[in-house]
Amino acid sequence: MNPGDLELEARLQEILRASPSMMQVLETAAALDLPDWLIFSGAVYQRVLNQLTGRDPDYGIKDYDLGYFDPDISYEAEDVVIRRVAAAFQAPLSEMVEVRNQARVHLWYEQKFGEPYGPLADSAEALGRFVSPLYAVGVRLDRSGEMRIFAPFGLEDLFQMRLRPNPLRKTGGFEGTAASAK
């Protein structure tokens, strides 16, 4: 990792730590101790875009995507986790935290989005399949409160508000601009 990456990681952590609602979600998720969990998507990248454009940190945040990875891919096992997570949050966050077992995504993705999606090995692997590197950022708190950032394409696109297609995807699904993101 080059020094520029470390600087962007520090900036991202500063932005996320300055958001009380994001920290509440991260701290609650850490306390739940789900296997291989991450908060990703708009809850992360939208806060950076908001900071860069002078908006309120929570502007446009519609949900918090909480992915975890459990080899038990039964719907019943995922439902137990969904209920457990919902019970851990108070409104309005209880309605905003959306939980999905990343080990199950390949079971429903093609039917919902019309393109194949092979099984994942862990939660972070999902980030490499997002439609744009700008969106491909996940975060978790470890038990000591240290924030870990997962960004397979780095953070430069995000901080430059550069929306481009994921170079690893062979199919479509890429639309929009950073200005219209969430």
Side-chain angles (χ1 to χ4, degrees):
M1 185 176 292
N2 70 48
D5 292 337
L6 293 175
E7 179 184 317
L8 293 178
E9 232 182 79
R11 284 180 65 194
L12 176 58
Q13 286 192 37
E14 181 180 318
I15 291 167
L16 297 177
R17 286 188 185 279
S19 169
S21 58
M22 176 57 120
M23 289 308 298
Q24 183 177 356
V25 170
L26 286 168
E27 290 165 357
T28 302
L32 287 166
D33 199 29
L34 300 174
D36 187 28
W37 67 274
L38 288 174
I39 300 293
F40 48 72
S41 294
V44 179
Y45 71 75
Q46 186 65 46
R47 282 192 165 78
V48 174
L49 298 176
N50 289 344
Q51 193 273 335
L52 294 172
T53 59
R55 293 183 174 146
D56 182 271
D58 289 334
Y59 177 83
I61 305 298
K62 295 182 174 98
D63 59 29
Y64 293 83
D65 291 307
L66 171 56
Y68 69 99
F69 193 90
D70 182 350
D72 182 346
I73 61 171
S74 69
Y75 172 79
E76 293 76 19
E78 183 179 49
D79 192 51
V80 167
V81 172
I82 290 169
R83 291 171 191 263
R84 184 173 160 231
V85 170
F89 289 97
Q90 294 182 354
L93 290 176
S94 57
E95 290 87 36
M96 294 178 72
V97 178
E98 296 185 0
V99 186
R100 294 295 174 261
N101 182 359
Q102 299 302 291
R104 294 190 76 243
V105 174
H106 69 281
L107 300 176
W108 53 263
Y109 189 93
E110 186 170 4
Q111 183 177 1
K112 184 171 182 174
F113 295 108
E115 63 181 276
Y117 194 96
L120 298 168
D122 58 33
S123 291
E125 185 180 355
L127 299 171
R129 299 185 189 185
F130 282 29
V131 296
S132 174
L134 182 145
Y135 303 143
V137 182
V139 62
R140 87 165 55 109
L141 288 180
D142 66 19
R143 288 193 172 119
S144 69
E146 184 176 332
M147 191 175 288
R148 296 198 50 215
I149 306 294
F150 298 82
F153 303 102
L155 296 170
E156 190 173 303
D157 284 330
L158 176 56
F159 279 93
Q160 291 185 4
M161 297 192 307
R162 179 176 51 224
L163 189 63
R164 64 185 174 98
N166 178 337
L168 303 178
R169 286 180 59 129
K170 306 230 184 302
T171 59
F174 180 77
E175 300 173 344
T177 66
S180 68
K182 284 233 175 185

